[in-house]
Amino acid sequence: MPEADELDIDLRSDTVTTPSDAMRDAAATAEVGDDVYRDDPTVNELERRAAEAVGTEAALYVPSGTMANQIAVHVHTEPGQELLLERESHIYRWELAGAAKLSGVQTRTIDAGDRCVPTPEAVREGLVDEDLHRPGTGLLAVENTHNYRGGIAVPVDRIAAAAEVARDAGVPVHLDGARVFNAAVALGVDASEIVDGVDSVTFCLSKGLGAPVGSILAGDEAFVEDARRVRKLFGGGMRQAGMIAAPGLKALENVERLADDHANAERLAAGLDALDGVDAPAPDTNIVVAHTEAAGIAAADLVTACKSAGVGCVEFDDYTTRFTTHLDVDADDVDAAVDRIGEVVDDLRA
């Protein structure tokens, strides 16, 4: 067993990946320039290839996925409008009320349940026309994969159906696709098929793709030009950013290997589900959620005990804990994690 609090099997998130030697070499030798002046050739190449990867006209490199989402909200809406989104979406749940603070937008939520994306009927009902008493809906935001729902890969037709209703009403659609390539691999489609029909998309280079930092915001050329200005407003204008963009180029080569993370997640879920009192449904992608109410184990207690056993995980709800596989975790790590978590569960139940 590791020393106390030493996370030698870190399953908290796929954001904990460490850059490969190739990424470090690329960073050290990157050709750079001032990106605010658009003079950084490495950033320019990353943006070109990122747009190509999701089938959009243009793309913008930003420091984080949260910034990318919040830039999209700011560009698509006007202060006083309403943002329509799923109740457990990342933008609503984990981004510090950024839509209200940064863009003066109020939120209206829809509970899509395990479907993850609102039905066309729910979108139609949620849209609000501007009048004397009510704000108009300025944006619909959807998410794929859906983080809180357990990394679910939302089928292409569900995204398209929800987006069609909004766009027919003149409301733009933003896709929080932080893990959109996980969704594409799981669904057996090209990422551009998932993105087709929305007006903008975010995806993270620093999650399953393994880059040390950075995300992409993509859309048509006019949207990205507006987004570039808002990035500067939000403090995201970077200078010789090629040094961090170069690993991002390497990260785009890691899409196909996401299938390995999915296989390891299935292995992990099966092992956890076999533990007495633990319910861990088979995952779509690289996120495993374990429910421990039947065992009488609170998620906070499980996380603390797992940390002492050298396994990192995060509390998602009172009795729900998230485990995330990534490129720094292999099948042997998964098996070792299951063994340790099994001991933890036995101890906590005793």
Side-chain angles (χ1 to χ4, degrees), residues 297-311:
I297 300 172
D301 294 333
L302 180 63
V303 169
T304 299
C306 283
K307 183 178 180 182
S308 296
V311 178

Side-chain angles (χ1 to χ4, degrees), residues 17 37 59 62 77 99 120 136 145 189 219 237 252-253 271-272 276 350:
T17 56
Y37 292 120
V62 300
T77 64
T145 64
V189 300
L252 290 175
E253 300 172 4
L272 295 179
D276 192 18

Side-chain angles (χ1 to χ4, degrees), residues 147-151 279-281 287-291 316 320-323:
N147 174 33
Y148 185 78
R149 301 287 186 187
D279 175 25
I287 293 175
V288 174
V289 289
H291 309 286
F316 246 27
T320 302
T321 304
R322 186 187 78 170
F323 302 83

